[in-house]
Amino acid sequence: DHRLPLTDACCYVCCSGAVEDVRHMLLHCSHTAVDRDAMMRKVRNAQGPHHMSSRMAFEDGNDEHRLKVLLGMPSGCKLEDAKVDRAVKCFLLKVERERRRCCSRLDPP
C-alpha cells in the first residue's frame, strides 16, 4: 500500500489541516480563493445564458456536482466544455506554482 498518512497529506498552501485532495484544491482551499473565484466566474460565463439550466445546476449544486463539472462532465456543448476545461487548467497551473513556492519554503536548505 502506497498511501501516505493523512498527516503527510495536509494542505501546505492554506495550513488549515485539511487533506490536500482534488476537492480541497478545486473547491475549498482558502489560500487560492481569489484564483478560484476567477475560475468559477469563467465557468459560469462558459455556461452562458443559452445554457441556463446547466448554469443553475452548477450554482445550486452540491460539491459533488461542481466537482464533476470542473473535472470534465460533458455538458452537451463542446465549446462550453472547452472553456470550462481551459479555466480549470489555468487555475490548477496557478495553484501548482503557489504550492511549489510554499513547499520550497518548508524544505531545508
Side-chain angles (χ1 to χ4, degrees):
D1 192 8
H2 299 303
R3 294 179 184 212
L4 291 173
L6 287 181
T7 54
D8 291 344
C10 290
C11 182
Y12 292 106
V13 180
C14 70
C15 301
S16 67
V19 173
E20 183 182 46
D21 60 6
V22 173
R23 177 183 307 275
H24 176 73
M25 294 309 292
L26 284 174
L27 301 175
H28 301 294
C29 183
S30 62
H31 191 79
T32 61
V34 171
D35 290 325
R36 180 177 40 261
D37 289 346
M39 174 191 64
M40 293 298 197
R41 271 192 307 280
K42 290 176 184 176
V43 169
R44 285 190 294 275
N45 289 340
Q47 293 173 327
H50 55 285
H51 287 107
M52 195 53 89
S53 61
S54 63
R55 186 175 184 172
M56 288 174 63
F58 183 76
E59 293 286 334
D60 298 337
N62 59 21
D63 281 359
E64 194 65 34
H65 178 73
R66 284 192 196 102
L67 199 56
K68 286 179 181 178
V69 170
L70 296 173
L71 293 177
M73 181 175 75
S75 68
C77 174
K78 289 183 180 184
L79 181 59
E80 178 182 324
D81 294 345
K83 288 179 179 181
V84 170
D85 186 57
R86 187 177 320 121
V88 172
K89 286 178 180 177
C90 288
F91 170 76
L92 290 174
L93 287 170
K94 288 179 182 180
V95 169
E96 180 59 21
R97 281 193 298 268
E98 183 64 18
R99 185 180 181 284
R100 286 178 192 230
R101 191 176 66 74
C102 288
C103 289
S104 69
R105 285 188 257 144
L106 297 174
D107 292 335

